[in-house]
Short mmCIF file of all heavy atoms in Angstrom, two decimals:
data_model
loop_
_atom_site.label_atom_id
_atom_site.label_comp_id
_atom_site.label_asym_id
_atom_site.label_seq_id
_atom_site.Cartn_x
_atom_site.Cartn_y
_atom_site.Cartn_z
N THR A 1 -1.44 4.22 -3.48
CA THR A 1 -1.89 3.63 -2.17
C THR A 1 -2.31 4.73 -1.23
O THR A 1 -1.62 5.69 -1.14
CB THR A 1 -0.76 2.62 -1.63
OG1 THR A 1 -0.41 1.64 -2.58
CG2 THR A 1 -1.17 2.11 -0.37
N VAL A 2 -3.39 4.45 -0.53
CA VAL A 2 -3.90 5.54 0.44
C VAL A 2 -3.96 4.86 1.74
O VAL A 2 -4.49 3.77 1.92
CB VAL A 2 -5.27 6.10 0.03
CG1 VAL A 2 -5.82 7.01 1.25
CG2 VAL A 2 -5.06 7.02 -1.14
N ILE A 3 -3.44 5.54 2.83
CA ILE A 3 -3.34 4.92 4.23
C ILE A 3 -4.16 5.95 5.21
O ILE A 3 -3.93 7.09 5.17
CB ILE A 3 -2.00 4.88 4.62
CG1 ILE A 3 -1.16 3.95 3.65
CG2 ILE A 3 -1.99 4.13 5.99
CD1 ILE A 3 0.38 3.95 3.98
N LEU A 4 -5.11 5.25 5.86
CA LEU A 4 -5.90 6.07 6.91
C LEU A 4 -5.77 5.42 8.32
O LEU A 4 -5.55 4.18 8.30
CB LEU A 4 -7.37 5.97 6.46
CG LEU A 4 -7.78 6.32 5.06
CD1 LEU A 4 -9.23 5.90 4.87
CD2 LEU A 4 -7.48 7.86 5.01
N TYR A 5 -5.91 6.07 9.26
CA TYR A 5 -6.12 5.53 10.62
C TYR A 5 -7.49 5.70 10.99
O TYR A 5 -8.13 6.62 10.58
CB TYR A 5 -5.21 6.40 11.62
CG TYR A 5 -3.73 6.21 11.63
CD1 TYR A 5 -2.95 7.09 12.30
CD2 TYR A 5 -3.13 5.11 11.05
CE1 TYR A 5 -1.54 7.00 12.40
CE2 TYR A 5 -1.82 4.90 11.11
CZ TYR A 5 -0.98 5.88 11.79
OH TYR A 5 0.33 5.72 11.70
N GLU A 6 -7.95 4.71 11.86
CA GLU A 6 -9.38 4.75 12.31
C GLU A 6 -9.52 4.15 13.63
O GLU A 6 -8.84 3.16 14.03
CB GLU A 6 -10.32 4.05 11.23
CG GLU A 6 -11.77 4.50 11.52
CD GLU A 6 -11.99 5.99 11.52
OE1 GLU A 6 -11.92 6.47 12.69
OE2 GLU A 6 -12.28 6.53 10.44
N ALA A 7 -10.49 4.72 14.38
CA ALA A 7 -10.78 4.24 15.75
C ALA A 7 -11.86 3.24 15.52
O ALA A 7 -12.68 3.15 14.48
CB ALA A 7 -11.35 5.42 16.58
N PRO A 8 -12.01 2.28 16.45
CA PRO A 8 -13.04 1.18 16.30
C PRO A 8 -14.41 1.54 16.12
O PRO A 8 -15.12 0.99 15.31
CB PRO A 8 -12.78 0.25 17.61
CG PRO A 8 -12.05 1.13 18.54
CD PRO A 8 -11.28 2.13 17.77
N HIS A 9 -14.92 2.55 16.97
CA HIS A 9 -16.20 2.90 16.83
C HIS A 9 -16.64 3.66 15.53
O HIS A 9 -17.82 3.88 15.26
CB HIS A 9 -16.72 3.69 18.06
CG HIS A 9 -15.95 5.12 18.23
ND1 HIS A 9 -14.67 5.05 18.59
CD2 HIS A 9 -16.24 6.33 17.94
CE1 HIS A 9 -14.14 6.40 18.62
NE2 HIS A 9 -15.18 7.09 18.21
N LYS A 10 -15.60 4.01 14.69
CA LYS A 10 -15.83 4.68 13.47
C LYS A 10 -15.50 3.79 12.29
O LYS A 10 -15.78 4.13 11.09
CB LYS A 10 -15.03 5.96 13.35
CG LYS A 10 -15.33 6.99 14.42
CD LYS A 10 -14.63 8.34 14.21
CE LYS A 10 -14.43 8.91 15.58
NZ LYS A 10 -13.26 9.74 15.44
N LEU A 11 -15.00 2.61 12.42
CA LEU A 11 -14.55 1.90 11.36
C LEU A 11 -15.65 1.50 10.35
O LEU A 11 -15.42 1.68 9.16
CB LEU A 11 -13.90 0.51 11.93
CG LEU A 11 -13.34 -0.40 10.83
CD1 LEU A 11 -12.18 0.29 10.13
CD2 LEU A 11 -12.86 -1.62 11.50
N GLN A 12 -16.75 0.92 10.83
CA GLN A 12 -17.83 0.64 9.84
C GLN A 12 -18.28 1.85 9.03
O GLN A 12 -18.49 1.68 7.81
CB GLN A 12 -19.04 0.07 10.62
CG GLN A 12 -18.88 -1.42 11.10
CD GLN A 12 -18.91 -2.25 9.89
OE1 GLN A 12 -19.63 -2.14 8.92
NE2 GLN A 12 -18.02 -3.38 9.95
N LYS A 13 -18.45 2.91 9.75
CA LYS A 13 -18.85 4.14 8.93
C LYS A 13 -17.94 4.50 7.84
O LYS A 13 -18.16 4.87 6.81
CB LYS A 13 -19.14 5.24 9.92
CG LYS A 13 -19.43 6.64 9.23
CD LYS A 13 -20.71 6.75 8.59
CE LYS A 13 -21.00 8.13 8.12
NZ LYS A 13 -21.51 8.18 6.64
N THR A 14 -16.67 4.46 8.18
CA THR A 14 -15.54 4.86 7.20
C THR A 14 -15.45 3.84 6.01
O THR A 14 -15.38 4.22 4.95
CB THR A 14 -14.15 4.91 7.96
OG1 THR A 14 -14.31 5.99 8.98
CG2 THR A 14 -13.01 5.16 6.95
N LEU A 15 -15.61 2.56 6.42
CA LEU A 15 -15.66 1.54 5.39
C LEU A 15 -16.97 1.71 4.45
O LEU A 15 -16.80 1.53 3.18
CB LEU A 15 -15.47 0.13 5.99
CG LEU A 15 -14.21 -0.29 6.60
CD1 LEU A 15 -14.46 -1.63 7.18
CD2 LEU A 15 -13.06 -0.18 5.58
N GLU A 16 -18.00 2.07 4.96
CA GLU A 16 -19.21 2.39 4.15
C GLU A 16 -19.01 3.53 3.31
O GLU A 16 -19.40 3.55 2.16
CB GLU A 16 -20.41 2.59 5.12
CG GLU A 16 -21.76 2.97 4.40
CD GLU A 16 -22.19 1.88 3.35
OE1 GLU A 16 -21.84 0.64 3.64
OE2 GLU A 16 -22.85 2.20 2.41
N ASP A 17 -18.45 4.58 3.92
CA ASP A 17 -18.06 5.78 3.10
C ASP A 17 -17.17 5.50 1.89
O ASP A 17 -17.30 5.97 0.76
CB ASP A 17 -17.49 7.00 3.96
CG ASP A 17 -18.42 7.57 4.90
OD1 ASP A 17 -19.67 7.43 4.68
OD2 ASP A 17 -18.00 8.29 5.77
N ILE A 18 -16.13 4.61 2.24
CA ILE A 18 -15.20 4.26 1.17
C ILE A 18 -15.94 3.57 0.07
O ILE A 18 -15.79 3.79 -1.12
CB ILE A 18 -14.03 3.42 1.71
CG1 ILE A 18 -13.23 4.28 2.64
CG2 ILE A 18 -13.25 2.71 0.62
CD1 ILE A 18 -12.18 3.47 3.55
N LEU A 19 -16.82 2.65 0.48
CA LEU A 19 -17.56 1.79 -0.52
C LEU A 19 -18.47 2.68 -1.35
O LEU A 19 -18.49 2.50 -2.65
CB LEU A 19 -18.33 0.74 0.23
CG LEU A 19 -19.09 -0.35 -0.53
CD1 LEU A 19 -18.17 -1.12 -1.41
CD2 LEU A 19 -19.91 -1.25 0.35
N GLN A 20 -19.07 3.62 -0.79
CA GLN A 20 -20.08 4.52 -1.51
C GLN A 20 -19.43 5.45 -2.39
O GLN A 20 -19.85 5.74 -3.44
CB GLN A 20 -20.97 5.26 -0.49
CG GLN A 20 -21.98 4.32 0.27
CD GLN A 20 -22.84 3.50 -0.59
OE1 GLN A 20 -23.44 3.94 -1.58
NE2 GLN A 20 -22.88 2.11 -0.39
N ILE A 21 -18.33 6.08 -1.88
CA ILE A 21 -17.58 7.20 -2.57
C ILE A 21 -16.50 6.73 -3.58
O ILE A 21 -16.46 7.14 -4.71
CB ILE A 21 -17.02 8.20 -1.58
CG1 ILE A 21 -18.27 8.85 -0.77
CG2 ILE A 21 -16.29 9.31 -2.25
CD1 ILE A 21 -17.71 9.64 0.50
N ILE A 22 -15.74 5.82 -3.04
CA ILE A 22 -14.65 5.37 -3.91
C ILE A 22 -14.92 4.10 -4.68
O ILE A 22 -14.52 3.91 -5.85
CB ILE A 22 -13.37 5.14 -3.00
CG1 ILE A 22 -13.00 6.44 -2.38
CG2 ILE A 22 -12.21 4.57 -3.86
CD1 ILE A 22 -11.91 6.39 -1.37
N GLY A 23 -15.65 3.15 -4.04
CA GLY A 23 -16.00 1.87 -4.71
C GLY A 23 -15.52 0.79 -4.05
O GLY A 23 -14.85 0.93 -2.96
N ASP A 24 -15.71 -0.43 -4.53
CA ASP A 24 -15.38 -1.74 -3.85
C ASP A 24 -13.99 -2.14 -4.20
O ASP A 24 -13.66 -3.03 -4.90
CB ASP A 24 -16.44 -2.80 -4.19
CG ASP A 24 -16.34 -3.88 -3.14
OD1 ASP A 24 -15.84 -3.75 -2.06
OD2 ASP A 24 -16.94 -4.94 -3.60
N VAL A 25 -13.02 -1.17 -3.72
CA VAL A 25 -11.64 -1.45 -3.97
C VAL A 25 -10.93 -2.40 -3.12
O VAL A 25 -11.48 -2.76 -1.99
CB VAL A 25 -10.83 -0.05 -4.01
CG1 VAL A 25 -11.34 0.84 -5.02
CG2 VAL A 25 -10.90 0.61 -2.55
N SER A 26 -9.78 -2.86 -3.46
CA SER A 26 -9.08 -3.81 -2.62
C SER A 26 -8.50 -2.96 -1.37
O SER A 26 -8.08 -1.86 -1.58
CB SER A 26 -7.79 -4.44 -3.36
OG SER A 26 -8.29 -5.30 -4.42
N VAL A 27 -8.51 -3.68 -0.27
CA VAL A 27 -8.20 -3.00 0.95
C VAL A 27 -7.48 -4.02 1.91
O VAL A 27 -7.75 -5.20 1.81
CB VAL A 27 -9.44 -2.30 1.61
CG1 VAL A 27 -10.40 -3.42 2.03
CG2 VAL A 27 -9.16 -1.46 2.83
N CYS A 28 -6.73 -3.52 2.88
CA CYS A 28 -6.19 -4.37 3.88
C CYS A 28 -6.44 -3.47 5.16
O CYS A 28 -6.07 -2.34 5.25
CB CYS A 28 -4.60 -4.49 3.71
SG CYS A 28 -3.96 -5.32 5.13
N VAL A 29 -7.05 -4.05 6.11
CA VAL A 29 -7.31 -3.42 7.32
C VAL A 29 -6.44 -4.13 8.46
O VAL A 29 -6.53 -5.37 8.55
CB VAL A 29 -8.85 -3.57 7.74
CG1 VAL A 29 -9.03 -2.94 9.15
CG2 VAL A 29 -9.69 -2.73 6.80
N VAL A 30 -5.58 -3.37 9.07
CA VAL A 30 -4.74 -3.92 10.08
C VAL A 30 -5.18 -3.40 11.52
O VAL A 30 -5.35 -2.30 11.65
CB VAL A 30 -3.19 -3.58 9.76
CG1 VAL A 30 -2.36 -4.20 10.81
CG2 VAL A 30 -2.90 -4.00 8.38
N ARG A 31 -5.25 -4.42 12.40
CA ARG A 31 -5.70 -4.07 13.75
C ARG A 31 -4.56 -4.42 14.75
O ARG A 31 -4.01 -5.52 14.65
CB ARG A 31 -6.97 -4.79 14.02
CG ARG A 31 -7.46 -4.72 15.47
CD ARG A 31 -8.73 -5.43 15.77
NE ARG A 31 -8.53 -6.79 15.91
CZ ARG A 31 -8.51 -7.41 17.22
NH1 ARG A 31 -8.67 -6.67 18.11
NH2 ARG A 31 -8.26 -8.68 17.22
N GLU A 32 -4.36 -3.58 15.60
CA GLU A 32 -3.48 -3.76 16.93
C GLU A 32 -2.09 -4.42 16.37
O GLU A 32 -1.59 -5.39 16.90
CB GLU A 32 -4.24 -4.83 17.78
CG GLU A 32 -5.43 -4.23 18.47
CD GLU A 32 -5.09 -3.14 19.44
OE1 GLU A 32 -4.50 -3.28 20.48
OE2 GLU A 32 -5.45 -1.88 19.04
N LEU A 33 -1.54 -3.74 15.37
CA LEU A 33 -0.09 -4.18 14.92
C LEU A 33 0.81 -4.29 15.99
O LEU A 33 0.97 -3.43 16.89
CB LEU A 33 0.22 -3.13 13.85
CG LEU A 33 1.39 -3.56 13.06
CD1 LEU A 33 1.03 -4.72 12.02
CD2 LEU A 33 1.98 -2.45 12.12
N THR A 34 1.60 -5.41 16.02
CA THR A 34 2.68 -5.76 16.95
C THR A 34 2.17 -6.12 18.30
O THR A 34 2.95 -6.19 19.22
CB THR A 34 3.81 -4.65 16.98
OG1 THR A 34 3.27 -3.53 17.78
CG2 THR A 34 4.27 -4.29 15.64
N LYS A 35 0.88 -6.26 18.51
CA LYS A 35 0.26 -6.60 19.79
C LYS A 35 -0.24 -7.94 19.70
O LYS A 35 -0.36 -8.59 18.73
CB LYS A 35 -0.81 -5.49 20.19
CG LYS A 35 -0.17 -4.13 20.30
CD LYS A 35 -1.33 -3.08 20.66
CE LYS A 35 -0.69 -1.73 20.61
NZ LYS A 35 -1.72 -0.62 20.65
N ILE A 36 -0.65 -8.42 20.85
CA ILE A 36 -1.11 -9.75 20.99
C ILE A 36 -2.32 -10.17 20.07
O ILE A 36 -2.45 -11.27 19.58
CB ILE A 36 -1.35 -10.16 22.45
CG1 ILE A 36 -1.47 -11.75 22.68
CG2 ILE A 36 -2.66 -9.46 23.05
CD1 ILE A 36 -1.44 -12.22 24.06
N HIS A 37 -3.24 -9.16 19.88
CA HIS A 37 -4.38 -9.34 19.06
C HIS A 37 -4.20 -8.85 17.73
O HIS A 37 -5.26 -8.57 17.09
CB HIS A 37 -5.66 -8.73 19.87
CG HIS A 37 -5.85 -9.32 21.19
ND1 HIS A 37 -6.30 -10.58 21.31
CD2 HIS A 37 -5.79 -8.83 22.25
CE1 HIS A 37 -6.59 -10.82 22.65
NE2 HIS A 37 -6.20 -9.74 23.30
#
């Protein structure tokens, strides 16, 4: 398992890089953990 942190304005680029370089692997993206949103 690999864990990364990412800022909102870079999320799409990072996911695209993952798709292109690593492949269409299973992923879980967690946003604003323990907060209202």
Side-chain angles (χ1 to χ4, degrees):
T1 302
V2 169
I3 304 169
L4 308 170
Y5 284 166
E6 196 52 271
H9 61 284
K10 296 184 209 154
L11 182 65
Q12 279 294 320
K13 171 71 173 130
T14 296
L15 291 173
E16 177 61 26
D17 286 347
I18 291 167
L19 187 59
Q20 294 303 313
I21 297 168
I22 299 171
D24 204 11
V25 296
S26 294
V27 64
C28 175
V29 174
V30 180
R31 175 177 82 95
E32 295 293 288
L33 192 66
T34 74
K35 298 177 184 165
I36 193 167
H37 298 292

